Amino acid sequence: MRQHHDMGGEPAGRVEKTEHDYAPWEKRVDALLVLLSDRERSLIRTDELRKNIEAIGPDAYEKMSYYERWITSVTANLLQRGAITAEELSRKLADVERREKEGLL
Amino acid sequence: MSQARFQPGDRVKVRNAEVVGHMRTPRYIRGHEGEVERICGFFANPEELAYNRHGLPKRALYRVRFDQKKVWPDYQGPAGDTVDVEIYEHWLDKA
Amino acid sequence: MSTHHDHDHDHHDHKHPTQPDVDGPLTYHQRLEIAVRELLIEKGIVTADEVRRAIEAMDARTPAQGARIVAHAWADPAYKKKLLTEPREASLELGVDPGVTKLVVVENTDKVHNLVVCTLCSCYPRSILGLPPDWYKSRAYRSRAVREPRKVMSEFGLEIPDDIAVRVHDSTADMRYLVLPKRPKGTEGWSEEKLAAIVTRDTMIGIAEARIP
């Protein structure tokens, strides 16, 4: 079975010549990956990043932007490696949401 | 690290295998024959690295050149057009 | 061609890592980035300063680096030879650090035109050219560049005659490819600076040719 990320030769439409200046949050995702994958930290490898992106379901893969896939994969890897726990993450996400509502971000 | 099994100019065939998990051999090239263009070096196996294992011993990685007209029966272009794909040794057989 | 990302240099220094991107509500993934980053900082795994510096380092990598390398290769045959055989050393010689990237430089000639794609993800010579454009990462480009490269190039306005072989490079594993475009006729005697100005990002991916404007 072909995995959905393995798309070489598949039918597709015209290539739209799109590009955009990366948003600060996208650059931060990139920076996190660079830092976490350096020799000193070694909390994610390129092939782990790829594996976790490939694990995103086909529908979500199509809908998500490039850096949305990356932060999803980085997060999954930190959980897999035990660097963060699901409970810590869910509490922190709730906290971020609260601060956003209160205008504190 | 061992010696490379193939040399530039050797004819090789990509294994037509089904795999579960992470790998770097695109599906479109499996089962096709090509020619080793160069030995890229020796690298830890990505199929193991993806699961946070060391992936040793390192594997030879080759750049293999394929004729487009053979890869895609409906290829639109002259006979000399090629596609180069990097393929790990354990995905290659002697053609 | 709008390939300049250099303008970020003017203002990125003032951005605090936690500054919100837009006035509207954050998306789920934007909140996730904040949450993960804050957790990593709290745990002492990264610092806010390291994040900021990593972004600065990334902003400093632009296609201008690659253009400088190409222009020097056009001007100096010995350097060109080195670039094709020892790309890492050649790149370092001009102060461009390929980092962990295993660089392969492929030369466009009167007989061969090279085009780079990554069908499995979006591998790109980031250390030389900076971050890839969106179209390079798109489903359409990743799917079609390998099967109908001539048609895709033609959609970008590049027609390759049939007596020139098209060589597609699918960067599936550990190599990253940089195209050394053909030096246009009529540029004899140009300074390297002037030459570099016509080496766009797209010429180094192989989707365009260097042209005199």
Side-chain angles (χ1 to χ4, degrees):
Chain A
M1 214 185 94
R2 187 182 67 84
Q3 292 175 294
H4 62 272
H5 72 277
D6 185 359
M7 56 183 74
E10 289 299 298
R14 203 183 159 83
V15 181
E16 301 295 335
K17 277 175 261 177
T18 47
E19 52 189 293
H20 76 289
D21 285 334
Y22 289 100
W25 84 270
E26 294 178 300
K27 292 186 179 186
R28 292 196 299 264
V29 172
D30 203 283
L32 285 180
L33 178 78
V34 168
L35 294 170
L36 291 172
S37 58
D38 70 12
R39 195 176 277 270
E40 176 198 340
R41 277 162 276 241
S42 195
L43 279 168
I44 186 165
R45 298 173 202 253
T46 302
D47 287 295
E48 290 176 291
L49 175 76
R50 291 164 170 166
K51 170 205 64 179
N52 290 327
I53 289 174
E54 290 159 15
I56 297 170
D59 293 345
Y61 186 95
E62 291 300 324
K63 281 190 201 122
M64 285 157 80
S65 72
Y66 187 69
Y67 282 109
E68 287 176 348
R69 288 180 218 148
W70 272 35
I71 190 61
T72 302
S73 173
V74 167
T75 306
N77 218 70
L78 290 169
L79 290 165
Q80 288 159 8
R81 293 283 200 103
I84 61 173
T85 68
E87 187 193 349
E88 285 170 338
L89 184 60
S90 61
R91 286 187 192 279
K92 180 58 93 176
L93 268 172
D95 181 53
V96 170
E97 224 166 316
R98 177 187 58 78
R99 282 185 283 147
E100 187 192 2
K101 276 201 190 104
E102 295 173 6
L104 298 173
L105 271 186
Chain B
M1 200 181 303
S2 56
Q3 273 206 304
R5 195 177 147 211
F6 303 109
Q7 295 302 315
D10 283 359
R11 298 288 302 171
V12 289
K13 184 171 182 177
V14 186
R15 282 172 51 222
N16 193 4
E18 284 293 340
V19 181
V20 177
H22 177 77
M23 91 219 62
R24 301 303 294 173
T25 308
R27 189 179 172 88
Y28 73 85
I29 212 66
R30 293 184 216 161
H32 287 281
E33 274 187 40
E35 185 177 311
V36 172
E37 190 271 342
R38 73 170 75 176
I39 303 170
C40 300
F42 293 82
F43 298 91
N45 184 357
E47 293 160 27
E48 294 290 309
L49 290 177
Y51 302 94
N52 192 27
R53 295 192 288 264
H54 56 56
L56 301 176
K58 288 188 176 180
R59 313 284 178 111
L61 177 68
Y62 302 89
R63 194 155 138 233
V64 183
R65 184 160 294 167
F66 301 86
D67 288 339
Q68 288 279 39
K69 283 213 179 278
K70 288 188 183 152
V71 177
W72 315 106
D74 59 351
Y75 184 75
Q76 303 285 314
D81 286 7
T82 55
V83 57
D84 286 7
V85 187
E86 290 157 45
I87 304 177
Y88 283 91
E89 187 168 273
H90 59 280
W91 274 91
L92 295 174
D93 289 323
K94 199 171 178 306
Chain C
M1 211 165 294
S2 61
T3 57
H4 298 285
H5 297 282
D6 322 30
H7 56 261
D8 282 347
H9 288 179
D10 304 337
H11 53 77
H12 74 255
D13 282 349
H14 311 300
K15 281 196 176 103
H16 187 270
T18 52
Q19 182 179 322
D21 298 285
V22 283
D23 295 331
L26 298 174
T27 64
Y28 167 76
H29 292 96
Q30 288 171 337
R31 285 199 297 273
L32 186 59
E33 182 275 323
I34 296 172
V36 168
R37 174 166 40 85
E38 288 186 358
L39 280 176
L40 291 172
I41 291 171
E42 284 164 23
K43 287 169 178 283
I45 295 173
V46 303
T47 67
D49 203 43
E50 284 175 320
V51 174
R52 191 178 49 75
R53 274 184 279 132
I55 292 173
E56 282 174 13
M58 184 201 322
D59 282 341
R61 291 185 209 106
T62 74
Q65 293 189 135
R68 213 151 44 79
I69 292 174
V70 168
H72 193 47
W74 282 349
D76 178 350
Y79 181 79
K80 181 170 117 179
K81 198 173 169 201
K82 184 171 183 180
L83 182 64
L84 293 170
T85 51
E86 300 171 84
R88 182 181 177 79
E89 289 68 23
S91 176
L92 284 169
E93 195 177 311
L94 289 198
V96 179
D97 186 358
V100 293
T101 303
K102 310 280 184 302
L103 194 62
V104 175
V105 178
V106 289
E107 183 187 13
N108 286 351
T109 66
D110 292 335
K111 296 202 167 100
V112 175
H113 180 89
N114 296 281
L115 179 71
V116 181
V117 63
C118 171
T119 61
L120 294 176
C121 42
S122 309
C123 299
Y124 187 76
R126 295 162 40 118
S127 53
I128 310 290
L129 299 182
L131 302 178
D134 290 337
W135 59 260
Y136 183 85
K137 304 182 282 187
S138 70
R139 165 169 283 279
Y141 185 74
R142 287 169 52 191
S143 302
R144 294 181 52 222
V146 76
R147 183 174 193 152
E148 35 184 9
R150 287 174 183 268
K151 198 159 172 216
V152 170
M153 288 190 282
S154 148
E155 285 167 22
F156 275 73
L158 178 61
E159 304 286 346
I160 303 294
D162 275 3
D163 60 346
I164 295 181
V166 168
R167 192 171 285 169
V168 177
H169 302 270
D170 190 354
S171 35
T172 44
D174 293 84
M175 306 292 126
R176 298 292 176 271
Y177 296 89
L178 183 77
V179 175
L180 173 57
K182 233 174 10 180
R183 179 174 179 168
K185 291 192 175 64
T187 57
E188 296 75 17
W190 283 27
S191 70
E192 285 188 29
E193 209 176 15
K194 198 172 170 191
L195 287 171
I198 60 168
V199 183
T200 62
R201 175 198 66 203
D202 290 2
T203 67
M204 294 180 277
I205 301 173
I207 199 77
E209 270 180 323
R211 290 199 180 109
I212 299 178

